[in-house]
Each structure stands twice: as structure tokens, then as C-alpha cells.
Amino acid sequence: MPRITRRALFGTAAGLVLATPALAAFPDRPLRIISGYAPGGLNDIVSRAMAQALTPILGQNVVVENRAGAAGAVGATAAARATPDGHTLWMGIVDTQAIIPTAYRNVQYDPDKDFAPISLVAHFPFGIVVGPSQPGIKDFDQLIAAAKAAPGKFSFASWGIASTSHLAMERVLRAKGVEMLHVPFTSQAPGMQAIMASQVDCMALPAGGAETMIRDGRTRCLAVIAPEQLELIPGVPTVREKGIDLASGLWKAIYAPAKTPPEILAKINAAVRQAMQAPSFIEVVRQQGAKPQPSTPQELAELGRTERAAWGEVVKATGAYVT
């Protein structure tokens, strides 16, 4: 049995005493959640709902800072370089944590080394919408038939090259032998606006955004890339019902910069899990076709590794590399 000296014992006790005030003081000022996308899109909506729910729990204002660019890589880099004291959080998504590191040649952050995982937030299924530029297309089969008859004439939007929006749509089109022009935007909201303005024909985007777009009747959701039909958009078939074995969506999760003290990470994890039980947060997520899915940091870390390997294969197959 190892010998415990008085110096070691009192050294450990002193460390605990010193650590306690630091933890008790956290947070001692407002916090920020960095979102890698422009205001108005799903990441912004969920980030603001989380900030609102966290504010009374942590006893400090929590604000959202939008840092759009490079399909989320600009915001991820800023979050990775933030002071690791718990006052900066990062709303990461599958794009930033799993796809960009495999698709971009000059990534300025490492998803494993530069971030401390806190908790998964939710998985958001995708819907495929067609806009007013194609008023005659009423269902998924008509879209595929029209696109096959005119290769390259149709276009689809995404929130960036090698984003989930881009790659999910590419997988659908490739499965049907269809070619379309890809038009990337900096985030979800500009892509949706381009659809409504008839600048682009269609887009794969989270179901909540699809449901919002179809309310005026000019935009239609033709299919959902989900395991089953969604209550949020009733009656819309899955792509599996159309012969494509695919279920794809967008997961979001909370991270902190690496080297954030473990005791602070634990406190944030508890606060985030509590925030996801807030009725206001649950309702926001429900409106996007999903449910809150809290996790442990270990579960989130494993999800990132698994998804990075899976999406890396898609990037390789499609050649969607970014220099």
C-alpha cells in the first residue's frame, strides 16, 4: 500500500481549498454561446433558446455571438481559441465537429484537441423543399423526373460546400442518378431566402425550416430524410419510401474550449441538462421536429468520432473537398 505523507495530504487539501472558491465564483460575469452561422437559421434559434434557459440557472446573462463563415469553421476557430474559463461555450454541429475536419484542407482547429465536450442537444431531421421557381413540381417523383430530363438545369442550395445540407442532398441525387447545380451559402437562412426569391430551386434543410417555408403554399416539402414520417410535416413521405436507403439529419451539441477546468465543465453540463428540461426550450426544439437529447461528455466525444468516420466516407465518395 503506498505511503501517504503529511506533505501530500496537506497539499491535496490545500488544492481543494484553492479550487473551491474558483468553482464557487463561476460564473462571475455574463457568458456567451458562439454560433458559427448567421442569425435566423436553426443554429441561431437553438443557441438563443439555450441561452435563455441557461440564464436563470447560472445566474448570469447568457448571450449568443454569431460568427458566420466557411460553413461554420470561422466560429469554431474563434471558440477553440477562447479563454478556457467556462464563460465561452460553442454550439457545435455535425458539420463543424465531424465533416469540416475531413473535408477542409486547412482547418484551423482540431475537434478533439481544441474542444471539451459537454452535452449533445438534439438530432434534427432534414426535409427537401422546392420553391416557387418550380410551381409545377408537386412531389418528389416529379422533381427527380424533371431534373433527369434537364441535367444541370435545376439547382439546390446549402449552407456551405461539404455541409450536411450539401452532402445529404448529393446522396439523394446520386441515388437517383440526377445532376443539379450546387449553390452554397454562408448559412441556412440565406439559402432559404434564395429559395423563396426563386434564385435557387430546392434545398435539403432541417424539418423546422422546411415547415416554416411551406406555410405560404408557394414552397413545398417533397420528402423527409428521416427514418419515418414526421408529425411536424404530416403526410410527407420519407426518401426510403421513394427507394433511397438514407436517413440524415443535423445534430447539435454544446462544447467549451479545451483546458476548461473539469469542475467547471461538470457545472456547465448539469446546467445544460437542466436547461433542456425548460418548457420553453423543449417547445423550440419540438417546433424543429426534434426532442432534447442530453448526454454525458463521453457519449458526445464518441458520437463525434463515429460521425467523423462516417461522413469522411461521404466526402471521399463525392469529392467535396475544400482547399
Side-chain angles (χ1 to χ4, degrees):
M1 181 176 180
R3 182 185 177 193
I4 301 177
T5 65
R6 285 171 57 88
R7 177 176 295 179
L9 179 61
F10 282 104
T12 301
L16 291 173
V17 170
L18 290 173
T20 301
L23 177 58
F26 174 81
D28 60 4
R29 59 186 183 278
L31 294 83
R32 62 173 176 164
I33 298 175
I34 296 180
S35 168
Y37 303 91
L42 178 58
N43 210 61
D44 181 64
I45 291 170
V46 176
S47 296
R48 292 184 188 280
M50 176 61 70
Q52 180 182 14
L54 280 176
T55 292
I57 296 170
L58 293 174
Q60 292 283 349
N61 286 333
V62 183
V63 299
V64 174
E65 180 179 317
N66 298 96
R67 298 289 293 271
V74 170
T77 302
R81 294 175 178 173
T83 303
D85 60 5
H87 290 87
T88 296
L89 303 177
W90 165 239
M91 184 65 79
I93 69 172
V94 59
D95 300 60
T96 58
Q97 310 308 122
I99 298 178
I100 288 176
T102 66
Y104 279 53
R105 303 294 190 186
N106 297 301
V107 183
Q108 301 300 308
Y109 66 91
D110 185 297
D112 289 325
K113 296 179 181 179
D114 292 335
F115 292 101
I118 294 175
S119 176
L120 179 67
V121 173
H123 283 83
F124 299 89
F126 276 166
I128 299 175
V129 300
V130 64
S133 64
Q134 300 295 335
I137 294 177
K138 304 299 183 182
D139 59 38
F140 181 78
D141 293 331
Q142 288 181 344
L143 174 65
I144 296 302
K148 278 188 175 180
K153 177 183 176 182
F154 283 71
S155 59
F156 72 95
S158 80
W159 56 76
I161 297 173
S163 64
T164 42
S165 180
H166 171 205
L167 297 179
M169 193 68 182
E170 287 279 14
R171 292 178 71 181
V172 169
L173 297 176
R174 284 170 172 263
K176 290 295 186 179
V178 173
E179 294 181 12
M180 286 190 187
L181 174 66
H182 174 220
V183 183
F185 292 86
T186 57
S187 63
Q188 177 183 321
M192 293 170 63
Q193 292 165 4
I195 295 287
M196 297 299 293
S198 296
Q199 297 169 342
V200 186
D201 297 313
C202 57
M203 183 178 186
L205 74 164
E211 191 275 334
T212 299
M213 291 182 68
I214 66 177
R215 289 177 190 170
D216 72 346
R218 295 186 303 147
T219 306
R220 297 162 299 288
C221 186
L222 307 183
V224 292
I225 313 176
E228 57 188 21
Q229 294 188 19
L230 305 177
E231 291 184 10
L232 185 67
I233 318 174
V236 176
T238 68
V239 293
R240 281 181 174 170
E241 294 175 74
K242 297 298 180 179
I244 303 173
D245 186 17
L246 176 64
S248 181
L250 182 70
W251 55 261
K252 298 184 180 296
I254 292 287
Y255 297 82
K259 299 183 180 179
T260 300
E263 62 271 19
I264 291 180
L265 292 175
K267 188 170 184 178
I268 297 172
N269 178 273
V272 167
R273 294 173 75 92
Q274 184 178 344
M276 282 193 268
Q277 297 176 19
S280 60
F281 184 82
I282 293 173
E283 178 59 18
V284 167
V285 173
R286 186 197 67 78
Q287 290 173 358
Q288 305 301 322
K291 297 179 180 178
Q293 293 178 273
S295 75
T296 66
Q298 294 76 20
E299 289 169 339
L300 177 55
E302 179 59 27
L303 174 66
R305 288 189 289 268
T306 301
E307 288 281 272
R308 199 147 51 246
W311 283 105
E313 290 298 318
V314 179
V315 169
K316 183 178 180 180
T318 58
Y321 293 102
V322 182
T323 56

